[in-house]
Amino acid sequence: MIRILIAFLLLGSLNVKADEGMWIPMLLKKLNHEKMKKMGLKLTPEQLYDVNQASLKDAVVWFGGGCTAEVISAKGLVLTNHHCGYGAITALSTAKDNILDNGFWAKSYQEERPAPGITVSFLVRMDDISTEVLDSVKNLSEKDRAKRLPAIYKSITDRVTKGTTYEAQCREMFKGNAYYLFVFERFTDIRLVGAPPQNIGKFGGETDNWMWPRHTGDFSMFRIYSDKDGKAAKYSADNIPYTPKYFLPISLKGVNKGDFSMIMGFPGRTNRYEFSQGVQIATDMVDPAIVKLRDVRLNAWKEQMVKDVDVRLKLTSQFAGVANYWKFYRGEAEQLKNNKVFEQKQKEELAFGKWAADKTEYKNLLTDVSKAFEAYKPISLQATYLGEGISSPFISRMTAMAIAIEDAIAKGDDKTTEKVKSQMLASLDDIPFSGTIIDADKRIFDSILVLYCNNIPKDQQPKFVGEMIIKGNANSREAIKNYTNDIFTTSIFADMDMVKAWFKNPRISLLKNDPMYKHIKAFRNYYNDNFKPKVDEYNETTLALGRLYIKGLMEMQPTKQFYPDANSSMRLTYGIVSPYMKFPMITNLDEVIEKNIKFKGNPEFDVPQRLIDLQKSKDYGRYAMKDGKLPVAFLTDNDITGGNSGSPVIDGEGRIIGLAFDGNWEAMSGNIHFDPANKRTICVDIRYVLFLIDKYGQASNIINELKIVQ
Ligand code: ARG
């Protein structure tokens, strides 16, 4: 009886199986369109991706290099997540004119604010360049191949962009079994149009991050400006709102369980073809180390941020970024274990091993993989402790910039030196090194050294640690404290004015005598001499073996459709609106207010009084659901990852129903293994977005620009 019941339950869960795959838009017609049609898509493959006529892909843009956005009006208005616009919104905020906390709605073009550093790139086209690239690397060793690739890429991108204003990128697919070219037009005059107060746009903060049920109004809006001819141009007051090739209409119809949903965007990185040993390194070594090291920065920053608005505004964007992946790695380690990903990978490898046993090309593959991991495991924390640890304090980052200038000078090319100098001076803007932030940085510097000494085996530490930091002191804690004090009183890098002066007029002798320079150089040189060759070897070997593994898997399962790992190139994932376990499929505004009451005193759950009033009066207009409540967020079973943030969630007719902004905690293992039972995408409902623009922000100018269909 119980058995029958279990069989039944299993069948039931198969029905709501999430849809795996981040597919290449150019190949949808060949690989996916039939299935998409069966699931509810009404559009032709050409309406999704075409290079000759306007298609959906022309409305989906790469936002700032780490997010996705979509064009939603004939005047170049783009919609993305609040957390994607966060850096720009905070950079435009001051204690006096605090648009981060108060929200911002431009009521005319004139009120829009140039957003520093934001870029928007349109994909002009993509091409399969596998033959050309693979021919050029034929018979090369992995090392030579890695060396050769940049030159091949450059010759291809130079060729296709010659005489145009386009930019191009080549990307490896299936770990180098295939290569694709992507041609972009990049716009840099981007202006902020609207954002809700962060109590709405980041409601739930770090507590709710990566979790469902969710109640975040995670959106912001920008506008693309072009020159008078509609071409990308740098900022000018004379630039005009851009007229796009295509923009997405918005649906007010709302979502129902089982509705078709697709998401187009720029997913950043996955590693779905990772070997079982790689899973072990993530769970046992690297992920916990990142969490431990990031804890240090977060605690020190938070202590200062709560005391002062200016300090909070200066640090909040970096805090959110560090906190986001602090929690990500905690979740990834936890869910890789919960979801038994190591065991699943082992099972897959076992099946592969059986199939490969009599095939010369593949039969040694898994043994070679084991050898590579055995050699790497003991040193697998080195790169993390250098990157996330020693190099992470602001003072270390500024020192690294000075070293970049030193390296440029050593090359003896004045033009390059000037370029690097001005780049580094500009990068200093990202480093808010003043007042109590210096106190925090000092604490970070100190605590990181303690972690380094405690967690990196003694025989893997540079002599510098014993000779210059601990100096034979029996109390190493005390020694690190003294060393930190010395650094922060004697180094030029402990003073922003001195750093700036040095960047403008770099005197190498001064640099070489600086204790911070000696510090960073000691750790870096030690890593470069002792570990880098081994780490490179591991990366090259596992890449080559991974490439062979994927090739073998494809031969082993000739009818299966494979998709390549995410690599920040444009992809499409399709699936359905789908609940998750016992949780609701859709959340509403009443629950926002309930959370606000339940977590009283926790600023992450504060809400503006105006939102409370609107909820009381239930004045939701056409944005309400059938039950009269206002939708906030919903779930789909689409396959996304970081970088997809801000992507449009699109129905079968090509209309926006929401914005993707997160994944659920139970599927945090998703970058390494897709788990159909657990994997969900968290989307902000487009009706909540429109309600906030319309009723909360009273920006009818924005609403009037949109193409809204019932
Ligand atoms: N987890 C979300 C993502 O990676 C980002 C959320 C940003 N918010 C935050 N609380 N740090 O797309």
Side-chain angles (χ1 to χ4, degrees):
M1 179 63 192
I2 285 177
R3 271 183 184 214
I4 297 173
L5 204 71
I6 289 174
F8 226 85
L9 286 174
L10 280 175
L11 274 178
S13 68
L14 282 181
N15 283 335
V16 290
K17 214 171 105 167
D19 267 291
E20 176 168 6
M22 300 171 175
W23 303 97
I24 298 179
M26 197 177 103
L27 303 180
L28 288 170
K29 186 172 182 167
K30 196 168 120 201
L31 298 181
N32 317 96
H33 189 255
E34 272 311 305
K35 188 174 169 209
M36 291 170 79
K37 234 168 69 184
K38 277 196 196 113
M39 292 173 68
L41 175 69
K42 302 281 189 293
L43 308 179
T44 64
E46 291 74 23
Q47 285 175 300
L48 299 177
Y49 178 90
D50 197 14
V51 289
N52 301 315
Q53 283 164 58
S55 59
L56 221 125
K57 77 114 170 80
D58 294 311
V60 180
V61 294
W62 202 16
F63 188 84
C67 274
T68 304
E70 50 280 354
V71 190
I72 52 168
S73 92
K75 295 286 183 199
L77 187 64
V78 294
L79 182 60
T80 187
N81 286 149
H82 188 267
H83 77 262
C84 295
Y86 202 71
I89 299 166
T90 53
L92 291 169
S93 299
T94 59
K96 263 216 194 92
D97 180 19
N98 193 338
I99 65 175
L100 178 71
D101 289 348
N102 302 329
F104 175 76
W105 312 97
K107 301 285 161 78
S108 66
Y109 293 151
Q110 285 71 37
E111 285 179 23
E112 295 173 0
R113 304 217 185 155
I118 297 282
T119 62
V120 161
S121 300
F122 286 87
L123 177 66
V124 179
R125 65 166 206 275
M126 56 194 295
D127 284 315
D128 186 346
I129 50 165
S130 304
T131 313
E132 178 171 359
V133 176
L134 290 171
D135 280 352
S136 323
V137 297
K138 210 178 243 152
N139 302 326
L140 292 185
S141 72
E142 196 56 30
K143 221 175 219 27
D144 290 338
R145 177 179 174 133
K147 272 198 211 124
R148 185 74 183 279
L149 276 175
I152 302 168
Y153 288 172
K154 186 166 184 314
S155 90
I156 296 176
T157 55
D158 282 353
R159 186 177 74 219
V160 300
T161 55
K162 201 169 171 203
T164 73
T165 53
Y166 295 156
E167 296 175 4
Q169 284 171 357
C170 300
R171 288 259 194 263
E172 192 167 79
M173 301 282 180
F174 297 114
K175 304 204 179 192
N177 282 301
Y179 291 86
Y180 276 73
L181 167 76
F182 298 86
V183 181
F184 289 101
E185 182 169 24
R186 187 159 67 103
F187 289 77
T188 53
D189 185 353
I190 308 300
R191 305 184 194 174
L192 179 66
V193 175
Q198 76 161 336
N199 285 345
I200 293 174
K202 201 174 185 261
F203 180 80
E206 306 310 329
T207 307
D208 273 6
N209 193 17
W210 301 109
M211 304 261 183
W212 180 259
R214 194 65 158 279
H215 300 88
T216 314
D218 198 343
F219 81 97
S220 59
M221 277 174 301
F222 292 81
R223 192 183 306 281
I224 307 165
Y225 279 77
S226 69
D227 68 12
K228 291 214 165 59
D229 305 319
K231 288 268 159 246
K234 62 174 195 288
Y235 173 83
S236 156
D238 297 333
N239 284 348
I240 56 168
Y242 174 63
T243 307
K245 260 207 215 150
Y246 188 67
F247 67 90
L248 290 172
I250 293 172
S251 167
L252 282 183
K253 232 165 65 192
V255 294
N256 290 300
K257 187 176 161 186
D259 284 355
F260 177 81
S261 72
M262 59 184 172
I263 296 176
M264 222 184 210
F266 294 85
R269 284 239 158 257
T270 56
N271 199 4
R272 296 267 168 85
Y273 304 95
E274 178 62 290
F275 296 105
S276 55
Q277 292 97 328
V279 176
Q280 223 167 27
I281 287 191
T283 51
D284 300 356
M285 312 289 287
V286 174
D287 288 8
I290 296 177
V291 173
K292 222 187 280 180
L293 290 165
R294 287 192 170 211
D295 253 338
V296 171
R297 266 183 289 171
L298 294 173
N299 291 334
W301 285 345
K302 195 184 250 155
E303 187 180 86
Q304 305 301 349
M305 282 166 73
V306 294
K307 290 193 228 160
D308 185 279
V309 190
D310 278 316
V311 171
R312 173 163 65 83
L313 287 173
K314 280 183 188 150
L315 285 174
T316 190
S317 181
Q318 310 209 37
F319 184 93
V322 173
N324 191 30
Y325 275 84
W326 167 84
K327 196 166 177 184
F328 172 89
Y329 284 109
R330 220 164 53 109
E332 183 177 83
E334 188 178 316
Q335 301 306 355
L336 283 168
K337 285 187 199 147
N338 278 347
N339 295 327
K340 304 220 178 319
V341 173
F342 175 73
E343 289 81 356
Q344 294 205 43
K345 294 271 177 193
Q346 273 197 323
K347 225 162 90 192
E348 286 161 23
E349 286 160 11
L350 203 70
F352 181 83
K354 269 196 194 135
W355 172 83
D358 58 353
K359 297 178 181 65
T360 325
E361 196 178 3
Y362 301 109
K363 68 176 181 215
N364 295 326
L365 194 150
L366 293 173
T367 327
D368 293 346
V369 168
S370 294
K371 273 190 215 144
F373 277 98
E374 277 321 305
Y376 179 66
K377 204 166 174 190
I379 61 160
S380 61
L381 287 183
Q382 282 292 334
T384 305
Y385 265 80
L386 186 63
E388 293 269 341
I390 299 297
S391 313
S392 72
F394 288 139
I395 194 170
S396 307
R397 283 165 58 185
M398 294 192 287
T399 312
M401 290 179 200
I403 294 172
I405 295 176
E406 181 201 17
D407 291 345
I409 293 173
K411 287 205 183 103
D413 169 6
D414 287 351
K415 237 172 89 191
T416 322
T417 306
E418 281 317 305
K419 207 172 123 196
V420 173
K421 263 165 68 176
S422 65
Q423 268 171 2
M424 293 303 147
L425 267 168
S427 307
L428 277 184
D429 289 345
D430 295 334
I431 301 201
F433 198 74
S434 63
T436 57
I437 297 178
I438 301 181
D439 302 339
D441 208 53
K442 194 170 159 185
R443 194 177 134 193
I444 294 167
F445 184 93
D446 174 74
S447 306
I448 293 274
L449 273 180
V450 173
L451 281 180
Y452 186 93
C453 290
N454 291 342
N455 291 293
I456 294 293
K458 283 270 168 317
D459 61 355
Q460 286 190 21
Q461 296 179 11
K463 282 210 183 70
F464 185 87
V465 173
E467 287 168 4
M468 302 304 293
I469 301 178
I470 310 297
K471 294 184 195 150
N473 203 321
N475 183 343
S476 63
R477 183 69 196 88
E478 198 59 31
I480 290 173
K481 207 162 149 200
N482 293 336
Y483 175 76
T484 305
N485 276 333
D486 276 354
I487 290 267
F488 277 77
T489 39
T490 60
S491 170
I492 63 162
F493 295 101
D495 181 316
M496 182 56 104
D497 290 336
M498 276 155 89
V499 176
K500 274 194 183 137
W502 190 89
F503 276 30
K504 282 181 193 145
N505 179 21
R507 281 171 38 219
I508 298 300
S509 58
L510 187 67
L511 179 69
K512 289 206 157 141
N513 281 315
D514 192 275
M516 250 331 269
Y517 176 84
K518 290 179 186 161
H519 174 85
I520 291 294
K521 276 294 214 186
F523 281 95
R524 270 204 194 171
N525 289 345
Y526 180 73
Y527 176 84
N528 287 341
D529 295 344
N530 297 284
F531 301 110
K532 188 170 181 300
K534 291 180 192 156
V535 173
D536 288 350
E537 161 105 15
Y538 158 81
N539 283 329
E540 284 153 12
T541 312
T542 48
L543 178 63
L545 293 171
R547 183 182 312 134
L548 190 63
Y549 185 50
I550 296 175
K551 182 168 166 270
L553 287 173
M554 288 172 166
E555 275 173 41
M556 182 177 133
Q557 299 150 277
T559 56
K560 183 177 164 172
Q561 277 165 4
F562 287 78
Y563 63 92
D565 269 313
N567 56 9
S568 294
S569 62
M570 187 188 263
R571 303 295 175 85
L572 183 141
T573 152
Y574 54 94
I576 53 169
V577 175
S578 170
Y580 179 63
M581 306 232 294
K582 58 182 193 294
F583 301 112
M585 189 182 76
I586 203 165
T587 56
N588 64 57
L589 187 62
D590 297 355
E591 296 159 4
V592 174
I593 308 302
E594 282 161 25
K595 267 191 182 171
N596 167 255
I597 294 165
K598 184 168 161 203
F599 295 104
K600 203 144 217 86
N602 180 348
E604 293 184 320
F605 294 91
D606 280 350
V607 284
Q609 184 58 41
R610 191 169 156 64
L611 190 67
I612 298 177
D613 295 343
L614 281 164
Q615 188 266 347
K616 263 200 197 113
S617 69
K618 305 263 181 291
D619 175 20
Y620 306 144
R622 57 181 172 160
Y623 311 120
M625 295 187 280
K626 285 199 192 82
D627 63 3
K629 293 185 177 170
L630 184 72
V632 170
F634 65 89
L635 287 182
T636 69
D637 68 0
N638 294 106
D639 184 3
I640 67 159
T641 188
N644 266 121
S645 281
S647 298
V649 187
I650 304 170
D651 69 7
E653 277 148 308
R655 298 159 178 169
I656 303 185
I657 49 176
L659 283 189
F661 74 96
D662 213 353
N664 57 322
W665 187 250
E666 299 77 6
M668 294 293 281
S669 44
N671 277 359
I672 299 184
H673 184 257
F674 185 91
D675 169 15
N678 285 326
K679 179 90 173 166
R680 292 293 181 275
T681 287
I682 302 177
C683 317
V684 54
D685 194 300
I686 202 67
R687 293 169 293 177
Y688 190 45
V689 172
L690 295 183
F691 162 84
L692 289 168
I693 300 170
D694 188 352
K695 304 268 178 180
Y696 186 91
Q698 305 204 299
S700 51
N701 56 313
I702 299 174
I703 294 289
N704 292 338
E705 241 189 280
L706 310 174
K707 186 168 162 192
I708 300 174
V709 289
Q710 283 299 327

